[in-house]
Amino acid sequence: MKFKLLLSLLFVFASINLFAQAQHSTEIGVETDNDSYLLRGSDRYYTDGIYFYYRHALSTDGNDNLKNKVLGFEFGQKIFNPQAGSVADIYGVDHADLVDRPFATYLYVGSTLNLLYANESNLKLSAQLGIVGPDAFGKQVQDWVHKTFGFYHPSGWEYQIKNDPEINLSAEYNRLLARTTGVDISFSSYGNLGNGFTGAGLGFLLRLGNFNQLFNSVSTQSTASQGNKITPLHKHELFFYYKPLINYVAYDATIQGGLLETHHEAGSQEITLDKEPFIFSNQLGVDFTTNRFTFDVAAIVHTRDTKEMIRSTHQWGAITGMYRFK
């Protein structure tokens, strides 16, 4: 009798837990990027980023091959500096020749549709509307941060990329290649097309630890789900990952300025430079999920963005936190 009662209680508990997980169809969160997170005392190149996310899982009823479908909306800002946030010598005189990567800011709103399949492949489509230039408020944000936390006063923003409206589209494709206990490897790729950013990249993702399938994992931004089609490998994810990518850059408005703009006209102090066509990136990180929360902490290292950059690499840290609810 006690054994039957115990089985009944376990069944009820499992049913409640499964239902609770199935109802976590929406998540909100924030990502913050900064080169100071790596404690190297640097303030250069891609120096700061902030992103706000909203994701909601859509129904996949009637499609056995589609395990998960997630609609997302986001708002973000990226800030770029040259070799320092101040291009002044000890006498306070600005030097344009110190601008080895342009001052630039990209501000945008965007939407994503993430289609995740039973064979553990996914196609994520994205569209962004944004602006590069003074109206993206990079100078104001950097001035406020440096003043609030007692850092040096930035200078040189008069050389920043001019205002240019952006329409950018992208597609990301991932697919599982192999898996054994505690280890798997996936193919990763993306393509960008727009008047702000055009290019492509490919590489792989290696995961070590307790991870879930790619249709319900923090790795593919698919922890939100709807319905009972998904049986995760683990209740909670906790794994380390390594993601190297080879990136081809056809155009980058934060380096070259607006695609349709006329640069260096009389009176303009805008400084634009030549982009490097190929960039190699490495990302190392750790992911952890609970029934409600998702966390990602990563370190990213890029080879130089421009031919003029005095440093052969630059790096930053990224911290992301998400909260799921019904």
Side-chain angles (χ1 to χ4, degrees):
M1 183 68 181
K2 289 182 178 180
F3 181 74
K4 290 183 178 180
L5 179 61
L6 179 60
L7 287 178
S8 299
L9 289 174
L10 288 174
F11 177 78
V12 171
F13 177 78
S15 300
I16 292 173
N17 190 54
L18 179 61
F19 178 77
Q21 288 185 16
Q23 294 306 301
H24 294 171
S25 59
T26 302
E27 63 180 1
I28 57 174
V30 61
E31 175 185 347
T32 172
D33 299 351
N34 202 285
D35 48 1
S36 66
Y37 293 159
L38 300 184
L39 305 178
R40 295 174 60 89
S42 62
D43 190 18
R44 61 175 71 96
Y45 309 138
Y46 175 42
T47 185
D48 186 69
I50 185 76
Y51 311 90
F52 299 93
Y53 301 112
Y54 171 89
R55 298 176 187 139
H56 179 70
L58 305 177
S59 173
T60 61
D61 291 343
N63 190 336
D64 293 335
N65 292 325
L66 191 63
K67 297 288 285 188
N68 200 1
K69 181 166 60 174
V70 181
L71 177 66
F73 298 94
E74 59 190 70
F75 170 77
Q77 183 192 53
K78 298 180 179 182
I79 299 176
F80 299 89
N81 285 342
Q83 57 189 284
S86 176
V87 290
D89 65 11
I90 59 175
Y91 301 105
V93 178
D94 288 339
H95 286 282
D97 59 348
L98 297 179
V99 181
D100 58 340
R101 199 227 191 268
F103 285 93
T105 309
Y106 177 52
L107 184 71
Y108 74 92
V109 295
S111 181
T112 61
L113 180 62
N114 200 357
L115 305 172
L116 302 114
Y117 296 94
N119 64 358
E120 295 197 53
S121 66
N122 83 294
L123 178 63
K124 184 179 180 182
L125 306 174
S126 305
Q128 295 179 358
L129 296 176
I131 188 168
V132 170
D135 287 350
F137 304 110
K139 179 183 184 302
Q140 293 87 336
V141 169
Q142 192 171 65
D143 284 347
W144 178 83
V145 170
H146 281 230
K147 182 178 180 181
T148 300
F149 294 97
F151 301 147
Y152 66 88
H153 178 68
S155 68
W157 278 95
E158 63 269 25
Y159 301 123
Q160 72 176 301
I161 299 294
K162 296 191 305 180
N163 282 327
D164 186 62
E166 309 287 348
I167 300 177
N168 297 300
L169 306 175
S170 67
E172 176 185 329
Y173 178 76
N174 305 282
R175 183 171 183 134
L176 179 69
L177 297 177
R179 173 177 296 144
T180 187
T181 303
V183 182
D184 74 2
I185 187 169
S186 306
F187 170 75
S188 297
S189 63
Y190 73 89
N192 297 328
L193 178 64
N195 65 315
F197 308 100
T198 296
L202 58 85
F204 66 87
L205 171 67
L206 175 68
R207 301 192 294 179
L208 304 170
N210 293 335
F211 44 77
N212 283 330
Q213 303 97 322
L214 293 181
F215 48 70
N216 185 218
S217 174
V218 60
S219 297
T220 50
Q221 303 86 52
S222 57
T223 49
S225 62
Q226 189 176 116
N228 299 319
K229 294 177 66 174
I230 295 175
T231 302
L233 298 175
H234 300 279
K235 184 177 180 180
H236 305 303
E237 291 186 292
L238 175 58
F239 61 88
F240 296 91
Y241 67 89
Y242 171 55
K243 186 176 183 179
L245 287 173
I246 298 175
N247 308 273
Y248 169 68
V249 181
Y251 200 87
D252 187 333
T254 68
I255 297 173
Q256 299 167 274
L259 183 62
L260 304 178
E261 287 289 325
T262 301
H263 307 287
H264 307 301
E265 68 265 24
S268 173
Q269 298 187 75
E270 176 193 34
I271 292 178
T272 60
L273 297 173
D274 295 326
K275 48 82 179 174
E276 282 284 1
F278 291 98
I279 297 173
F280 183 63
S281 64
N282 287 283
Q283 182 171 340
L284 289 165
V286 58
D287 284 340
F288 173 65
T289 69
T290 70
N291 197 39
R292 296 280 186 173
F293 291 94
T294 297
F295 300 99
D296 174 83
V297 179
I300 300 96
V301 180
H302 269 217
T303 56
R304 56 168 55 97
D305 295 338
T306 74
K307 301 179 185 299
E308 293 83 2
M309 280 170 58
I310 63 169
R311 305 278 181 170
S312 60
T313 63
H314 61 113
Q315 57 280 319
W316 64 91
I319 302 171
T320 305
M322 305 291 295
Y323 175 73
R324 294 193 301 282
F325 54 94
K326 295 181 181 180

